[in-house]
Amino acid sequence: MRALQAIILLLAILAALAPASADTQVRLTALSSSVPLRPFTEVLEDPAGELTLTDIERPETATRFRRHAGDGDLNFDYSPTTYWLRLTLAPELGAATRWLLEVGYPSLDSVTVFVRHGATVVRQHAGDQAPFSSRPFVHRNLVFPLELAPGSEQQLYLRVASSGSVTIPLTLWSPAALHASDQRVYSIMATYFGMLLALGLYNLLLYFSLREAAYLAYVGVVASIAVAQLSMLGLGNQFLWPDWPAWGDLAIPLGFCSTGFFGALFTRLFLETRKASPRFDRLLALLQAGFVLAAATAVFYGYRPAGMATALLGAAFAATAVATATLCAVRHQAGARLFLAAWSLLLLGAALTALRALNWLPTNLLTVFALQIGSALEILLLSFALADRINSARRALAAAQAETLSARENAVETLRQSEKLLEQRVMQRTLELAESNERLRHSEAELRKLAHHDPLTGLANRALLYDELRRIIARGKRSGDMFALLMVDLDGFKLVNDTHGHAIGDQLLETIAARLQECVRVSDTVARLGGDEFVVVVEGVLDEEQALAIGAKLIVTLSRPATVDTQVVQVGASVGVALWPLDSDDLDSLLLAADRAMYLAKEGGRGQCCLASATVGSAPDQKQNGE
């Protein structure tokens, strides 16, 4: 018996150490750009979620990897099990070294990728329960960059765990191929969400105008579908709530529960089921309560039971809505046929998505986005159905009025006037909204300008200067480039004020500001700290000599006589220069160093430029004679 056990163990070890068969290797050539990895993936279930990479690489564990039955993407439904996936990558000589592994289901809680390079293991992690900034690659899906060595096989493992649907679409892309695919995908998604936004806002305006609850329920459906789809497609985690992983995890069940709730409410209001079919109305109300309970379950109990309940409730609601619409269409109820067509298109999109997942239909843009296309067409037709119901009501009213006595002509005219007044109010409110938005934008722009610019000279003020310095220092830390900060103080400005008055002094300051801007590039920063003190920040300075040359240029330019309101006035300038990071790598310390250098220039006779590195001791506490 022991001998038999030893033979079995030896065979298992040999099987684990043997090279992968040809059909389990992902062979990459120089022409490869995208490779679906489903046919090459082996799966190991880890029910307790306790296995480590060391555990699964042991021969007795490695032999337990199996191909998963079925076609299409790997799909384990709402399974609580942790899954390990194994792939053998075999890039041929001449194949690219950089690849991107895409897991095209962004709502997975946790995906960890392990790539072994000899004794070294490269580990990468992503998932919707972690902040978006922690992902190894910026993308709406879970994407992992890989560095492969052509001509040698490399083993790759994925550990996947999720409280929601465990669907694992795997594709290996070249960076250029993924970028090209993203351009098409993002174009479709932009069109889809733009359509949802336009229809939602349009019907919200109609609700404010008509005060009919069906329009508000329709807006609720559109907003809920948008939230659910943004989360399912990974756009919400990337753009809207990247730092709120807890909300990102709940957005899908809450979005679909909210869609079901408002969808049932819209069905009741639009088809008037309380009058047309009380039994269906009670069933729809019960389904509404079910969606509320499912949402509460997701928040207070668990994602998995809530997701399963939402899926079952959604199927029940779809069947109920179609049955109700069919009954109303048979009775020739206004808008019922369009309502039925809308739901049929949504169900067709869901069916195409399911058939693609089963690999019964080819994977292309139509089948990949069938659900989004179906939901977009459904939303569009429901909007048409709302309009058709209004038109039907108007036609019925016009027919009734045509059959009445001539005495009713006054009532018809009154109705027409009311319709015109309604249209005028809608147009008026739209124009008022546009004008209000324009005034608001103008006010915001003025406030931003006042908050960041000196009101006299239009130069950057102290707050904007500090913001610019922080950005320049951050860029300098990345690029290693040096910049110069020049503290400029006017010599003789107090005499101008005392002799000619403050009005002349203010105009002179405006002239000085214009001259400072002429002396530097558009990309450089010129700010006024207050009084006659200015700061000039010049990026890309190579050494102290170049900085002194800039300071000398400023002194010469500012010392030219200026004609202000028929008065010829002249001031000089003293300049202190501090270099980042030679004199300091701290913002406040850099300003203080430049200030001390400027005072040293004044003490040296004014009209000079002095480096901060030449300062000895500390500068005076305040300017002499206010200059």
Side-chain angles (χ1 to χ4, degrees):
M1 179 62 72
R2 291 182 178 177
L4 180 60
Q5 291 177 346
I7 292 173
I8 294 174
L9 179 59
L10 179 60
L11 291 175
I13 294 174
L14 291 175
L17 296 178
S21 61
D23 61 345
T24 63
Q25 293 179 340
V26 183
R27 296 197 176 276
L28 303 173
T29 68
L31 299 178
S32 299
S33 59
S34 65
V35 182
L37 299 179
R38 171 68 170 88
F40 309 97
T41 306
E42 297 174 297
V43 181
L44 172 66
E45 296 189 16
D46 179 14
E50 297 176 349
L51 294 179
T52 64
L53 179 63
T54 303
D55 295 331
I56 67 169
E57 287 185 328
R58 290 173 181 160
E60 61 271 20
T61 308
T63 57
R64 291 163 48 194
F65 276 90
R66 295 288 185 272
R67 294 291 186 87
H68 189 261
D71 296 319
D73 296 329
L74 286 173
N75 191 334
F76 302 100
D77 299 322
Y78 287 88
S79 172
T81 298
T82 297
Y83 292 91
W84 285 86
L85 312 181
R86 183 172 67 187
L87 290 162
T88 302
L89 305 180
E92 298 179 357
L93 293 175
T97 58
R98 295 185 58 206
W99 295 87
L100 297 174
L101 175 64
E102 180 189 36
V103 182
Y105 198 72
S107 61
L108 293 172
D109 291 348
S110 174
V111 178
T112 306
V113 174
F114 302 89
V115 181
R116 177 171 291 284
H117 299 278
T120 304
V121 176
V122 178
R123 178 185 181 275
Q124 301 180 65
H125 177 78
D128 75 342
Q129 288 191 345
F132 188 84
S133 58
S134 66
R135 296 189 179 185
F137 190 85
V138 177
H139 198 273
R140 64 183 184 90
N141 287 327
L142 308 180
V143 177
F144 304 89
L146 303 177
E147 289 287 341
L148 304 180
S152 63
E153 294 182 4
Q154 290 172 268
Q155 204 90 60
L156 181 146
Y157 295 92
L158 289 88
R159 183 184 184 275
V160 182
S162 184
S163 57
S165 175
V166 185
T167 302
I168 316 174
L170 291 174
T171 307
L172 190 64
W173 298 89
S174 69
L178 179 58
H179 177 72
S181 175
D182 284 343
Q183 299 307 305
R184 296 190 297 270
V185 171
Y186 280 121
S187 298
I188 293 173
M189 291 192 294
T191 302
Y192 173 69
F193 286 107
M195 180 178 176
L196 292 186
L197 179 63
L199 290 174
L201 291 177
Y202 171 72
N203 284 277
L204 182 62
L205 290 175
L206 286 180
Y207 166 74
F208 288 136
S209 299
L210 304 176
R211 298 295 177 180
E212 189 170 345
Y215 287 97
L216 193 58
Y218 175 90
V219 173
V221 173
V222 173
S224 302
I225 288 178
V227 170
Q229 293 293 343
L230 282 169
S231 185
M232 278 196 67
L233 296 172
L235 297 174
N237 289 335
Q238 182 176 4
F239 298 110
L240 299 182
W241 48 80
D243 298 322
W244 300 340
W247 163 248
D249 191 47
L250 291 173
I252 291 179
L254 294 185
F256 281 117
C257 285
S258 181
T259 301
F261 176 85
F262 285 110
L265 178 61
F266 177 79
T267 303
R268 297 175 65 194
L269 293 172
F270 182 82
L271 297 178
E272 298 178 342
T273 54
R274 183 174 296 181
K275 297 179 181 178
S277 180
R279 291 184 180 179
F280 277 122
D281 184 76
R282 288 190 292 270
L283 180 55
L284 289 168
L286 185 63
L287 288 171
Q288 281 185 267
F291 282 117
V292 172
L293 290 176
T297 302
V299 175
F300 299 106
Y301 183 70
Y303 186 109
R304 183 173 291 108
M308 298 174 67
T310 302
L312 294 174
L313 287 168
F317 168 58
T320 303
V322 170
T324 307
T326 302
L327 177 63
C328 294
V330 170
R331 296 176 178 176
H332 302 287
Q333 189 170 332
R337 292 182 179 179
L338 280 174
F339 186 94
L340 179 60
W343 275 103
S344 299
L345 287 173
L346 177 63
L347 294 177
L348 177 61
L352 291 177
T353 301
L355 292 175
R356 183 191 68 87
L358 294 172
N359 206 28
W360 292 358
L361 288 177
T363 297
N364 50 46
L365 288 179
L366 175 62
T367 56
V368 168
F369 291 98
L371 184 59
Q372 284 75 25
I373 295 172
S375 61
L377 292 176
E378 180 213 18
I379 292 298
L380 182 62
L381 286 182
L382 289 180
S383 180
F384 288 162
L386 283 170
D388 180 69
R389 192 173 69 159
I390 295 176
N391 291 332
S392 297
R394 288 178 177 176
R395 288 193 296 268
L397 180 61
Q401 290 173 342
E403 295 176 356
T404 58
L405 299 174
S406 58
R408 300 290 302 274
E409 292 180 357
N410 292 333
V412 173
E413 185 62 26
T414 301
L415 178 61
R416 291 175 180 172
Q417 293 297 328
S418 299
E419 290 176 352
K420 291 181 181 180
L421 179 61
L422 176 61
E423 292 175 356
Q424 292 174 357
R425 288 179 178 177
V426 172
M427 294 178 61
Q428 181 180 359
R429 291 185 182 182
T430 304
L431 291 174
E432 290 175 354
L433 179 61
E435 293 174 357
S436 177
N437 289 337
E438 184 62 28
R439 289 195 298 270
L440 180 60
R441 284 193 295 269
H442 181 73
S443 299
E444 289 177 349
E446 290 295 329
L447 288 174
R448 283 195 298 269
K449 183 176 180 181
L450 290 175
H452 294 93
H453 292 81
D454 177 53
L456 175 62
T457 63
L459 298 177
N461 62 10
R462 187 182 296 270
L464 183 55
L465 172 65
Y466 273 57
D467 289 342
E468 289 296 327
L469 282 174
R470 292 189 188 97
R471 284 192 283 270
I472 293 171
I473 289 174
R475 285 198 300 269
K477 288 180 179 178
R478 291 193 300 269
S479 64
D481 292 339
M482 186 166 55
F483 70 86
L485 187 148
L486 297 89
M487 185 74 69
V488 181
D489 190 84
L490 302 182
D491 298 331
F493 179 73
K494 184 176 184 300
L495 180 61
V496 173
N497 268 342
D498 293 342
T499 304
H500 301 286
H502 289 284
I504 297 296
D506 288 346
Q507 294 181 50
L508 177 59
L509 288 176
E510 293 177 1
T511 302
I512 294 297
R515 289 182 177 181
L516 285 173
Q517 289 177 312
E518 293 172 357
C519 288
V520 296
R521 299 166 299 186
V522 177
S523 59
D524 296 327
T525 301
V526 181
R528 182 190 179 201
L529 294 184
D532 59 344
E533 196 169 45
F534 299 84
V535 169
V536 178
V537 182
V538 181
E539 297 185 69
V541 173
L542 301 178
D543 51 29
E544 294 180 343
E545 292 184 3
Q546 186 179 4
L548 287 174
I550 296 171
K553 179 182 179 182
L554 294 178
I555 293 173
V556 171
T557 302
L558 299 183
S559 300
R560 295 200 312 265
T563 302
V564 180
D565 196 16
T566 71
Q567 300 290 331
V568 178
V569 295
Q570 184 175 12
V571 294
S574 298
V575 179
V577 181
L579 297 175
W580 182 94
L582 297 181
D583 296 317
S584 175
D585 61 356
D586 176 68
L587 188 154
D588 293 324
S589 300
L590 192 67
L591 284 167
L592 181 59
D595 192 60
R596 287 174 175 170
M598 180 268 292
Y599 276 105
L600 185 62
K602 280 187 172 291
E603 292 174 356
R606 304 189 181 185
Q608 298 183 15
C609 179
C610 184
L611 290 170
S613 57
T615 59
V616 179
S618 59
D621 294 335
Q622 56 186 347
K623 290 184 177 182
Q624 298 176 2
N625 299 324
E627 295 182 0

